[in-house]
Amino acid sequence: MKVAILGSGGIGLASAAWLAHHGHEPVLWSPSGAGTRELAAGESLRYSGKIEGECRPQVATSAAEAVADADVILVAVPGNGHRTVMEAAAPHIRPGQVVIISSLCSLSALYLSRLLAGRGVEVPIATWGTTVLTARRRSGTEVAIMTVRTSLHVATLPVSQAAVGLKTCRTLFGDRFIEQSDVLATSLININPVAHFGLALCNLTRIERGENWPQYHYMTDAVSRLITTLDHERLAVASAFGLKIHPIEEHFHRSFDVPVGDLADIARTIHARRGGPPGPTTLDTRFVHEDVPYGLVFAEAIGKIAGVDTTVHSAGITVISAIYGRDFRAENDLLPVLGLEGLSKEELLRRAREGWPAATA
């Protein structure tokens, strides 16, 4: 299959490597152009870790060129890039294509559905609760693939296209996908916001001073209590919408094959096995810039719709905003265009299952 990959960070490059390695045809597009400059000049992409080799993915100079004759479009940018990339690609997406979002945050699939509905177009939008791969971009021509998850959740918008979304994901990335009820579930199932925020807040001076600190070693008992409390609020929001999503302990069990138990014990086990990865070494980190506005702020917003108390989420957002001197509640650029204001719990669930109604796009 020909796959347009929108994004050229670690996940974008790793996805291109995986797809080429397994006989597919990836096409990379970097929104800024900088991320694919060397590949566009003819250099090969070298990949190591869980799979090894090199390939020469095609490079597109625009979203229109990338999407033009692709079978599948893979959105592979951080949450704070979803709106920009979707607005660039949406005018060129056509019936018969499939979109995959790796991974979903803040119901961005619903925004893409709205953009497409405005053109009278509907395509399956498959959404993942997390990424299939974890990876580090070593340079513009080298990526290390550190993890290939054994299982992860997928939901498709609209749910009537769930079979198509699931089949496409399995064709490209293997039989590792578990079907979820809807895209609201995959928006909430990602544990990164609660885990990353807890780690970042409790290790902030290490980050600010650029120290070398292995993440799981510093997911101590106290830090784990904060993360677990945040996770309980996340689960309560999901439950209020009738969604069944797994707790953070089960996430680590599925991702790293560790026994389910106390979170601090899980962290100690992972650290003993892996010794890393290192935590961020600058305040300019996605642990805050992405996971707070597109994770915690989103959960707080839909918690209000469901009437769920998210006191620790709210306190955390307020505290980290004060530390950074900026309003992270205002930095989620998807919430203002999702049209959630005034929606009832039932109306939000309906949109998360059926997509954006064409009459209101």
Side-chain angles (χ1 to χ4, degrees), residues 66-89:
V67 167
D69 58 350
D71 301 300
V72 180
I73 298 134
L74 178 68
V75 177
V77 292
N80 52 11
H82 279 201
R83 180 176 175 180
T84 299
V85 163
M86 288 175 178
E87 288 174 351

Side-chain angles (χ1 to χ4, degrees), residues 180-345:
Q180 253 295 349
S181 55
D182 55 57
V183 298
L184 185 55
T186 44
S187 279
L188 287 169
I189 210 166
N190 192 340
I191 60 90
N192 279 353
V194 299
H196 287 171
F197 175 74
L199 278 168
L201 182 65
C202 295
N203 291 281
L204 199 69
T205 55
R206 290 189 176 93
I207 295 172
E208 190 172 20
R209 293 198 179 278
E211 296 176 14
N212 181 16
W213 60 284
Q215 289 180 32
Y216 294 108
H217 182 59
Y218 287 95
M219 193 183 285
T220 62
D221 293 80
V223 176
S224 294
R225 278 193 293 274
L226 171 60
I227 293 171
T228 301
T229 303
L230 289 164
D231 196 54
H232 288 165
E233 291 186 349
R234 177 184 70 97
L235 294 172
V237 172
S239 179
F241 284 97
L243 304 174
K244 295 181 179 179
I245 63 176
H246 57 259
I248 192 169
E249 294 86 355
E250 188 174 338
H251 165 84
F252 284 115
H253 166 68
R254 293 182 180 189
S255 295
F256 302 111
D257 193 27
V258 294
V260 175
D262 180 78
L263 183 58
D265 290 336
I266 289 173
R268 281 187 278 270
T269 299
I270 297 174
H271 176 70
R273 289 182 184 178
R274 302 178 67 195
T281 54
T282 169
L283 292 179
D284 183 19
T285 169
R286 66 186 177 90
F287 280 29
V288 176
H289 291 170
E290 179 184 4
D291 288 316
V292 173
Y294 294 92
L296 301 190
V297 171
F298 172 74
E300 178 190 53
I302 64 167
K304 289 177 182 176
I305 294 173
V308 175
D309 181 9
T310 56
T311 298
V312 182
H313 275 69
S314 299
I317 297 163
T318 300
V319 168
I320 201 71
S321 294
I323 291 170
Y324 272 73
R326 52 201 285 187
D327 182 3
F328 283 110
R329 285 186 176 87
E331 293 194 14
N332 183 320
D333 63 355
L334 287 166
L335 285 176
V337 294
L338 281 176
L340 304 186
E341 290 285 335
L343 287 186
S344 67
K345 185 169 67 173

Side-chain angles (χ1 to χ4, degrees), residues 59-123:
V59 175
T61 58
S62 66
E65 181 187 343
V67 167
D69 58 350
D71 301 300
V72 180
I73 298 134
L74 178 68
V75 177
V77 292
N80 52 11
H82 279 201
R83 180 176 175 180
T84 299
V85 163
M86 288 175 178
E87 288 174 351
H92 314 288
I93 295 173
R94 52 177 170 76
Q97 294 178 312
V98 177
V99 176
I100 299 174
I101 301 178
S102 168
S103 57
L104 186 62
C105 70
S106 287
L107 273 178
S108 60
L110 187 58
Y111 181 55
L112 178 58
S113 173
R114 179 179 184 174
L115 293 173
L116 296 176
R119 297 177 50 227
V121 173
E122 181 182 278
V123 300

Side-chain angles (χ1 to χ4, degrees), residues 33-58:
T36 53
R37 187 174 293 120
E38 293 159 288
L39 296 175
E43 293 196 40
S44 296
L45 173 62
R46 298 181 298 278
Y47 49 95
S48 59
K50 292 298 182 180
I51 55 173
E52 297 189 355
E54 63 178 62
C55 62
R56 285 196 173 182
Q58 295 181 44

Side-chain angles (χ1 to χ4, degrees), residues 25-37:
E25 186 181 349
V27 181
L28 278 165
W29 175 60
S30 164
S32 70
T36 53
R37 187 174 293 120

